[in-house]
Amino acid sequence: ISGNVSATGNIQVDDIIEKSTDHGVEIEQVTLKDGKVTATTLRSGQGSQSAPSIDIGDDNSGLFDAGNDAIGFTTGGSQKMHIDVNGKIGVGTDSPNAQLEISNDGTSGNIPTVRLNSTEGNVGSGDVLGQIDFKSADSGRSGDPAAAIKAVSSEADGSHTDLTFSTGENADAASERMRIDSSGNVGIGKSPSAKLDVNGSYQGAGNIITSSGFIRSPDGSASIPSIQPGVDEDTGFFRPASNTIG
């Protein structure tokens, strides 16, 4: 068939139509009805990023055969996304090394970025602006999610945003373990009220060094001193009264 085809009914083609040009198309059993196309098989030529074999809207935007069983997606005559034979997706790269790899040159305005954008117009305290969930297929870790990172509004007017980190075990869904608040304070096991605020015991192998300020502990007692050198829980320093060390 050469030229345009116009019909008020259905057009059914059972034979293969083939053209040998770069934009050539092979169609097997195609039915057109009400402006829709149904095809058992649709094959196109290889094409290229500047002249995709299946173009959408114009001659340099669409899909093409990127070689090695890969598909290239092109806009404006250059490839923007690539899906390789293993299902890895590259955005800005034609050789992704992970399930999703985003690549750019890192100059101003071209920094590789993943952005989670909440469109909620009236954000309140506790509202989640975005989150990253981790899931395990292992039956021993059936809790969903297994771990998570969330951006959470901490004020009723939506003016402050915290970042929370959640983990879990067994069948339990992940729960919050650490929070960095909008001021940069870090809380482990609690919402922080200082630069580092820990609820529970903590252990370090190095030194605690302060350039200014002080290190403060609870009063403790003779049987459970608040500062305990070594591993003995009943040996150390405590505050029996004001301005006194025991």
Side-chain angles (χ1 to χ4, degrees):
I1 300 173
S2 178
N4 298 329
V5 176
S6 178
T8 57
N10 296 337
I11 300 175
Q12 181 167 322
V13 181
D14 293 320
D15 295 328
I16 293 177
I17 301 173
E18 181 176 357
K19 292 176 65 179
S20 60
T21 65
D22 194 41
H23 282 63
V25 177
E26 296 181 8
I27 304 176
E28 182 177 348
Q29 191 173 336
V30 61
T31 302
L32 285 75
K33 183 178 181 181
D34 299 330
K36 299 179 180 180
V37 178
T38 301
T40 303
T41 304
L42 174 62
R43 290 187 295 271
S44 69
Q46 182 174 6
S48 66
Q49 60 179 326
S50 60
S53 52
I54 300 178
D55 59 54
I56 303 172
D58 52 51
D59 289 340
N60 61 1
S61 297
L63 285 69
F64 69 98
D65 180 355
N68 298 318
D69 294 323
I71 299 174
F73 297 78
T74 182
T75 60
S78 63
Q79 182 176 200
K80 301 302 192 298
M81 187 171 74
H82 182 98
I83 303 178
D84 73 10
V85 65
N86 298 309
K88 295 178 180 178
I89 300 173
V91 178
T93 176
D94 60 5
S95 54
N97 292 308
Q99 289 302 114
L100 174 62
E101 181 173 341
I102 300 173
S103 178
N104 215 323
D105 60 17
T107 59
S108 179
N110 294 314
I111 299 172
T113 303
V114 176
R115 184 175 186 178
L116 306 179
N117 180 19
S118 172
T119 59
E120 182 181 356
N122 187 21
V123 176
S125 180
D127 287 355
V128 178
L129 305 184
Q131 70 184 64
I132 300 173
D133 284 353
F134 302 87
K135 179 71 173 71
S136 173
D138 193 300
S139 60
R141 183 66 184 103
S142 58
D144 187 9
I149 302 172
K150 299 179 182 180
V152 183
S153 172
S154 57
E155 294 291 341
D157 62 359
S159 61
H160 294 62
T161 305
D162 296 354
L163 196 62
T164 68
F165 299 82
S166 301
T167 61
E169 58 188 25
N170 302 320
D172 296 330
S175 58
E176 182 180 329
R177 310 298 185 187
M178 185 175 76
R179 177 180 291 248
I180 303 175
D181 72 12
S182 58
S183 300
N185 296 333
V186 178
I188 300 176
K190 62 175 298 186
S191 293
S193 57
K195 282 300 176 184
L196 178 61
D197 200 343
V198 179
N199 179 25
S201 301
Y202 57 94
Q203 179 176 319
N207 300 322
I208 299 176
I209 301 174
T210 62
S211 58
S212 62
F214 51 85
I215 299 174
R216 174 177 290 174
S217 70
D219 289 345
S221 64
S223 59
I224 306 177
S226 55
I227 299 178
Q228 303 169 0
V231 296
D232 295 330
E233 295 183 356
D234 57 358
T235 303
F237 306 95
F238 70 101
R239 179 178 178 268
S242 177
N243 300 318
T244 306
I245 296 177

